[in-house]
Amino acid sequence: MRTKKPATHYLATNADGIIPASLAAGTPVNLADAVGTTIDHPNPCKNLWYDETPFSYFRTVTAPGEVLADVPGWPRRLWIVEPLGTTGTWGGRDSAHRLFAHQIRVVQEAESWQALGPRGRQVLDLIDHQLPDLARTWAATHTADPDRVHQAYEDWRLCNSREPEAASGMNAKQMALSVASSSRRSAALWTVSRLAIDAAHAAADEFGRTAAHYAAMRAEALAFAALLEDRLRDYVLTALRGVALDQALTAAA
């Protein structure tokens, strides 16, 4: 009989290893200094998991793509931990990936890209090494013929598929958001969105804010496609990658 593999629990921290909520509460907990050891919560809540003070219990997740909901921003460090003693959840499907504890053992540090989901490494490569040049190209195209690009962009932005799944009027971006939520990558998606937009906004210095905004929206959608490529259908990926945009521009030339 096959036994179910135990879930892996994660916590994210600032770059110095400190849980940010613990720092804000005045009782800093540094996971980097505690690898291989057990940590008791310095200020455990008395009514278990319904105390919403800034830092009343350790919040672990079993879905790495959701860990950044508790530690916004990037880069961050990711840790594998083992909840000990009495544990609990808020219950319900939306919190199924969470487990709360007053005691944890810090097992080891994990590669931080995992906080962005299974495709985190590819997404970071896209954002760091490809988007800056792509954004400049997109912004330059907009500057050369803003009216034509704007029309193509508006057609692409709506990009409602004729597939049955899109009968509700969801466009490709909305479908990506829905899939990210259902596959426990919604926190990762918002982080990726911000990183992609920031990478593209650098084009504003050379081409202006309007052109950079256009490039940023393309960059965000392309990053969504990279993050969720193992979850989205081909027609949604095609829309998010902006294939229709480039085809429209070529046809109008």
Side-chain angles (χ1 to χ4, degrees):
M1 181 176 179
R2 181 179 297 178
T3 59
K4 187 176 180 180
K5 183 180 178 180
T8 301
H9 295 263
Y10 299 90
L11 269 174
T13 68
N14 293 331
D16 57 9
I18 296 177
I19 299 173
S22 73
L23 190 62
T27 53
V29 175
N30 192 324
L31 300 192
D33 294 338
V35 175
T37 68
T38 297
I39 303 175
D40 292 317
H41 196 285
N43 186 35
C45 59
K46 296 180 179 179
N47 56 346
L48 289 182
W49 324 119
Y50 298 97
D51 183 340
E52 285 307 293
T53 52
F55 184 54
S56 54
Y57 44 81
F58 295 114
R59 302 178 180 220
T60 74
V61 300
T62 56
E66 294 297 327
V67 73
L68 295 175
D70 297 323
V71 188
W74 187 267
R76 289 292 182 254
R77 294 172 76 176
L78 185 66
W79 306 86
I80 297 175
V81 301
E82 179 187 358
L84 301 173
T86 301
T87 60
T89 70
W90 286 328
R93 185 178 63 180
D94 291 342
S95 298
H97 62 291
R98 289 188 173 276
L99 191 70
F100 309 135
H102 286 152
Q103 186 183 69
I104 58 172
R105 186 173 72 88
V106 184
V107 178
Q108 65 186 62
E109 185 168 6
E111 293 186 88
S112 60
W113 63 262
Q114 296 178 70
L116 299 178
R119 292 184 52 79
R121 197 192 300 272
Q122 293 95 320
V123 173
L124 289 176
D125 179 71
L126 169 70
I127 291 170
D128 292 338
H129 302 119
Q130 300 176 49
L131 278 184
D133 288 338
L134 285 172
R136 289 189 72 259
T137 298
W138 296 334
T141 302
H142 182 279
T143 300
D145 193 342
D147 291 339
R148 181 162 57 91
V149 170
H150 176 72
Q151 183 57 55
Y153 171 78
E154 286 301 302
D155 293 341
W156 167 75
R157 183 177 64 85
L158 298 175
C159 65
N160 279 322
S161 170
R162 295 178 183 176
E163 296 288 336
E165 289 87 344
S168 63
M170 291 177 68
N171 61 32
K173 182 175 178 180
Q174 290 169 330
M175 293 184 74
L177 294 171
S178 176
V179 168
S181 179
S182 64
S183 61
R184 294 298 174 202
R185 302 182 199 178
S186 54
L189 192 77
W190 292 119
T191 298
V192 164
S193 170
R194 185 168 59 252
L195 292 174
I197 289 172
D198 288 347
H201 274 164
D205 293 338
E206 185 173 354
F207 298 103
R209 294 179 59 185
T210 301
H213 174 75
Y214 158 77
M217 295 304 97
R218 288 197 66 171
E220 180 190 39
L222 188 59
F224 282 6
L227 180 66
L228 297 171
E229 188 154 4
D230 59 342
R231 290 290 182 269
L232 291 175
R233 298 196 176 190
D234 288 343
Y235 69 85
V236 179
L237 291 169
T238 298
L240 288 170
R241 290 173 183 141
V243 174
L245 261 174
D246 295 326
Q247 290 175 342
L249 290 174
T250 301

